[in-house]
Amino acid sequence: MPAGRHRASRANATGMTPAAQPLSGPQFDRLIGCAACHTPNVDTFPQGQIHKLTTDIQYTQCNTCHNRGNYDLKTMTFLQRTDHPLLTDRLQNYYQPIAQFTKCEYTLDCIDCHTRTEAMGDGDIHSNEADIQYIQCKTCHGTPTQLPLTKTLTDPNDIAFRQAQLNPVVGLELGDTVIVTDKGEPMWNTRVLPDGTYQLVGKATGQVFTFKPVMGSGCTQNGTDQSSAYCHTCHSVQR
């Protein structure tokens, strides 16, 4: 096992052992601290573990902690994954057979949607993930009656430029209009195009996606319901 790999139990500040212990297998290997996310797992880099930090965080890195199994409602127990996720199959890596999902949920990487505040926290202690997660479908797609929230970049010191410099997959310029979250955070890898369509560049892949807002599309959804099950009623991928 390479030095620094996180396999052993570590007590937290209260002296209690964390509930989410690392699983066995190279697909779950990760470092600790900042490097747990920002230093890629050896499986995703053929040249082996690299000693540097990166903001190019692929979904396989998130999988070292997340997507670890499913809940069995009959027995009310959590069943851990026993298979080795296939690095070449994003669909199987992201979602297991029982799950419903939309195409964007597995073609994008986790960091394309979830913000740094969702991933690293906002300075407060929350009782569960749902309390800190606030990105919804409407963040990028809007609703039948409202376009996505946007912001035109007029300040050269805007944090959007600093974030884009750390992961230079897009060339932001003054005057660009980007999507922002309900909390005002710039989704710096997005851009509103002159024809009213939207563009998103994958932070880990550099792949360019274009999409249109819900408003004006004829969609009859209830814009106030942003639960995944509600959107999946019409937009889930069949496999």
Side-chain angles (χ1 to χ4, degrees):
M1 183 192 312
R5 287 297 174 84
H6 185 359
R7 288 281 184 82
S9 299
R10 293 188 302 124
N12 61 22
T14 64
M16 300 294 290
T17 301
Q21 293 300 298
L23 303 181
S24 61
Q27 70 272 30
F28 298 113
D29 280 352
R30 62 183 184 273
L31 301 178
I32 59 176
C34 299
C37 293
H38 290 282
T39 296
N41 182 285
V42 66
D43 277 4
T44 63
F45 276 73
Q47 70 269 33
Q49 189 73 48
I50 54 177
H51 294 279
K52 71 174 184 179
L53 299 179
T54 180
T55 55
D56 173 5
I57 303 170
Q58 301 178 30
Y59 73 94
T60 47
Q61 190 68 20
C62 302
N63 275 357
T64 61
C65 290
H66 298 276
N67 200 2
R68 297 155 59 98
N70 283 312
Y71 285 97
D72 185 331
L73 297 181
K74 291 183 178 180
T75 61
M76 297 300 290
T77 56
F78 182 76
L79 303 178
Q80 294 182 344
R81 293 190 75 165
T82 58
D83 62 314
H84 189 306
L86 302 174
L87 296 177
T88 57
D89 191 335
R90 294 178 70 94
L91 189 153
Q92 296 301 328
N93 266 354
Y94 256 71
Y95 294 94
Q96 297 175 61
I98 68 169
Q100 284 187 312
F101 51 89
T102 61
K103 187 175 182 180
C104 65
E105 288 178 296
Y106 79 89
T107 55
L108 300 178
D109 281 274
C110 306
I111 62 172
D112 291 332
C113 294
H114 296 294
T115 68
R116 64 182 186 135
T117 300
E118 283 185 316
M120 297 188 291
D122 60 359
D124 294 327
I125 297 177
H126 298 271
S127 60
N128 55 63
E129 290 182 11
D131 288 344
I132 187 62
Q133 182 179 328
Y134 48 83
I135 294 297
Q136 299 175 305
C137 298
K138 69 176 182 180
T139 303
C140 286
H141 297 281
T143 71
T145 58
Q146 184 179 21
L147 292 172
L149 299 177
T150 60
K151 171 185 179 181
T152 300
L153 303 176
T154 58
D155 182 357
N157 294 315
D158 195 292
I159 192 172
F161 291 112
R162 296 200 296 273
Q163 291 174 323
Q165 289 176 345
L166 291 173
N167 188 358
V169 294
V170 296
L172 282 185
E173 298 179 358
L174 283 174
D176 283 345
T177 300
V178 300
I179 294 173
V180 296
T181 70
D182 290 343
K183 296 181 180 294
E185 300 166 289
M187 305 282 283
W188 57 266
N189 60 321
T190 66
R191 189 174 299 175
V192 183
L193 302 179
D195 64 357
T197 59
Y198 297 77
Q199 182 184 83
L200 181 146
V201 180
K203 295 177 183 176
T205 64
Q207 188 174 353
V208 178
F209 303 89
T210 57
F211 55 96
K212 295 182 179 181
V214 172
M215 186 174 172
S217 68
C219 177
T220 58
Q221 75 172 102
N222 173 5
T224 60
D225 190 341
Q226 291 289 303
S227 62
S228 60
Y230 182 78
C231 294
H232 289 158
T233 301
C234 296
H235 298 287
S236 63
V237 172
Q238 300 296 320
R239 58 171 175 171

